[in-house]
Amino acid sequence: MLIWFIVIYLLLSVSIGLYAATRVHNTKDFAVAGRHLPLPMVTATVFATWFGAETVLGISATFVQEGLHGVVADPFGASLCLILAGLFFANKLYRMNLLTIGDYYRMRYSRTVELITSICIVISYLGWVSAQIMALGLVFNVVTDGGVSREAGMMIGASIVLTYTMFGGMWSVALLDIVQMTVIMAGMLFIAYLISGQTGGVGTVVAHAQAAGKLDFFPHGDYTQWVPFLGAWVTMMLGSIPQQDVFQRITSAKTERIAVSGSVLGGGLYFMFAFVPMFLAYSATLIDPAVFSSLLDKDPQLILPTLILNHTPVFAQVIFFGALLSAIMSCSSATLLAPSVTFTENILKHFMLKNMTDRQFLLAMRIVLVGFGLLVLFVAMHAEVSIFRMVENAYKVTLVAAFVPLAFGLYWKRANNQGALLAIVLGLASWLLMEVFNGDSVWPPQLIGLMMSICGMVAGSLLPNMIGKPLPQEPEHAYLHHHAASQTEHVATHPHEIRRE
């Protein structure tokens, strides 16, 4: 019965996603839902940015092993990323009315900066989306009691997500997120209520975790403990701000105020609900210590699914796995869409897709999405890293290459093309050198890369220009290039002030 409910749920999800395709008429609809989303939808999509496989399976397993100290990157860094994006980036980026975050780097600096940062952004999604596909394979394997292998489950899951995302784009992501967010929140709270009854209540679980030292958040010791801690926190908190999936959720909003409020609300909701899977996984170690202690050594990601299958009724199993699939699919669909749109708009367009009609460009986005989906499936099937670590490592490259040009470009008028290029070069070079030759250092390589990127931006922007001025940029923004549209765009004298007239 559990399997049939899962099948019905998946068919319903695909149907909603395909219905969303009826709203896609151009690339703007496909990439940012035509900028028509109300506050509830924006909040739901922002919440779904992070609430995926790593939250339910990865974070919960890491918490059982390492406590709060081990999950500083997610949910602490991840939720702060969404809140900071809403407070300090959403309004400025929303006013620019761009198709992708890569368009910002072109308009603010040059095509070279756009190309390099876009490549880094696309690469960062390989680990993130692969983690979601891995989780889909794990869920299908567990639900069928091994009848479907993890590899086959990955292929089934990837096919389902690709189908509705390819046709519906951001509209399918938004409509499904509002449904799936409801399922996630209600399902997780109901399961927590059931499990708490088997452990003696929430207070008992919290007291046990505190006595075991699992609730100690800040490190004890000298800088050798604090520096890696801060490095992990900063990686997710700042490295994921210059990401297309965060950007497209913000800019899909109907108004600037909704963009800001939705991002802050979604980040706050994510932070609160991320603790529910952690509570469930730790409860498992109290309910059946022998079984779950062995899983800690074998595969900690199986703790939560095994708890649900062995200690809850079928109805609860349906709710849990429905919520889990909701979380994974809502996250994976958007994170498949984001790099595909970025690659097509900011990389492929400049080499192969010039002078295309909007319909042809939309087709190109869909073809790229399928290709990226197949690449992600290949990576997922050959990965040997845990879901949590894949996600944690995904944003190192954007932290060292894309964050500083974005933040300084928005808030420092003297930031220029030379500074951006030097920031990217020094950030990437120092990070890669540290990873290769000094990976065991107390100082995380990505933290060194971030500091060198800041130095590069400041030095390059203040020193005399040695690389020449960038080529003049076209006055229209990305949308006008693809839309035979009815709108007139005006570019103000300052590159920040791109507005609609």
Side-chain angles (χ1 to χ4, degrees), residues 184-456:
I184 292 166
M185 296 175 74
M188 287 294 171
L189 289 176
F190 176 72
I191 296 297
Y193 169 76
L194 285 182
I195 295 300
S196 65
Q198 300 182 37
T199 58
V202 175
T204 302
V205 178
V206 172
H208 192 282
Q210 186 172 18
K214 299 297 183 181
L215 301 187
D216 294 340
F217 178 64
F218 293 106
H220 302 287
D222 57 12
Y223 78 97
T224 60
Q225 302 296 318
W226 277 93
V227 171
F229 175 82
L230 293 174
W233 198 341
V234 167
T235 300
M236 290 287 280
M237 182 174 63
L238 302 182
S240 48
I241 288 178
Q243 285 291 344
Q244 175 62 18
D245 61 319
V246 175
F247 171 86
Q248 70 190 13
R249 284 165 160 84
I250 291 172
T251 53
S252 296
K254 188 181 295 185
T255 66
E256 180 182 324
R257 179 175 293 181
I258 290 176
V260 174
S261 301
S263 184
V264 174
L265 286 173
L269 279 174
Y270 172 74
F271 180 75
M272 290 187 292
F273 269 86
F275 285 93
V276 178
M278 286 190 265
F279 167 78
L280 293 174
Y282 196 80
S283 297
T285 63
L286 304 184
I287 293 173
D288 197 340
V291 170
F292 294 107
S293 294
S294 65
L295 283 177
L296 278 175
D297 299 325
K298 180 183 177 183
D299 189 351
Q301 296 167 155
L302 289 173
I303 289 177
L304 204 46
T306 304
L307 169 71
I308 302 303
L309 286 174
N310 293 349
H311 295 277
T312 62
V314 174
F315 176 66
Q317 293 172 23
V318 170
I319 291 177
F320 172 79
F321 285 104
L324 178 56
L325 285 172
S326 294
I328 298 170
M329 291 195 301
S330 63
C331 188
S332 56
S333 59
T335 48
L336 269 175
L337 178 66
S340 305
V341 171
T342 299
F343 182 83
T344 310
E345 162 73 7
N346 302 114
I347 301 173
L348 201 57
K349 181 183 76 175
H350 299 312
F351 298 103
M352 300 172 58
L353 305 180
K354 294 180 179 180
N355 303 317
M356 294 185 73
T357 66
D358 185 77
R359 185 179 295 273
Q360 290 171 327
F361 196 72
L362 178 58
L363 176 62
M365 282 186 178
R366 285 171 166 158
I367 292 173
V368 170
L369 188 144
V370 173
F372 190 79
L374 294 175
L375 177 61
V376 162
L377 178 61
F378 176 82
V379 172
M381 294 179 72
H382 294 84
E384 297 181 357
V385 185
S386 72
I387 291 171
F388 182 80
R389 296 305 171 199
M390 289 186 76
V391 172
E392 188 179 27
N393 292 334
Y395 296 115
K396 291 180 179 179
V397 63
T398 46
L399 175 69
V400 303
F403 175 73
V404 170
L406 173 64
F408 276 71
L410 289 174
Y411 284 99
W412 191 36
K413 291 184 178 180
R414 296 195 64 175
N416 59 25
N417 184 54
Q418 179 174 270
L421 288 172
L422 194 57
I424 294 170
V425 170
L426 289 183
L428 284 173
S430 58
W431 168 59
L432 290 172
L433 287 173
M434 285 284 291
E435 288 281 5
V436 173
F437 297 108
N438 204 19
D440 296 329
S441 169
V442 170
W443 289 86
Q446 70 272 19
L447 194 57
I448 298 294
L450 174 63
M451 292 189 290
M452 291 301 295
S453 182
I454 293 172
C455 292

Side-chain angles (χ1 to χ4, degrees), residues 48-60:
T49 304
W50 297 122
F51 207 99
E54 77 292 344
T55 309
V56 181
L57 302 177
I59 293 176
S60 59

Side-chain angles (χ1 to χ4, degrees), residues 144-163:
T144 60
D145 196 22
V148 174
S149 67
R150 291 198 183 189
E151 291 75 15
M154 290 181 200
M155 290 187 281
I156 294 170
S159 301
I160 293 170
V161 174
L162 268 175
T163 298

Side-chain angles (χ1 to χ4, degrees), residues 23-106:
R23 300 191 177 199
V24 176
H25 306 292
N26 51 48
T27 52
K28 186 176 180 180
D29 291 335
F30 188 77
V32 290
R35 290 166 67 96
H36 291 315
L37 299 186
L39 181 60
M41 277 192 172
V42 174
T43 302
T45 58
V46 170
F47 173 84
T49 304
W50 297 122
F51 207 99
E54 77 292 344
T55 309
V56 181
L57 302 177
I59 293 176
S60 59
T62 304
F63 171 74
V64 172
Q65 292 177 300
E66 304 176 29
L68 284 182
H69 177 77
V71 295
V72 58
D74 195 0
F76 292 93
S79 56
L80 273 174
C81 156
L82 299 174
I83 294 171
L84 292 175
L87 293 177
F88 299 105
F89 295 86
N91 57 345
K92 293 179 178 291
L93 291 174
Y94 188 87
R95 292 171 198 162
M96 297 180 73
N97 196 19
L98 303 173
L99 190 68
T100 68
I101 189 69
D103 291 336
Y104 166 81
Y105 294 103
R106 181 182 72 251

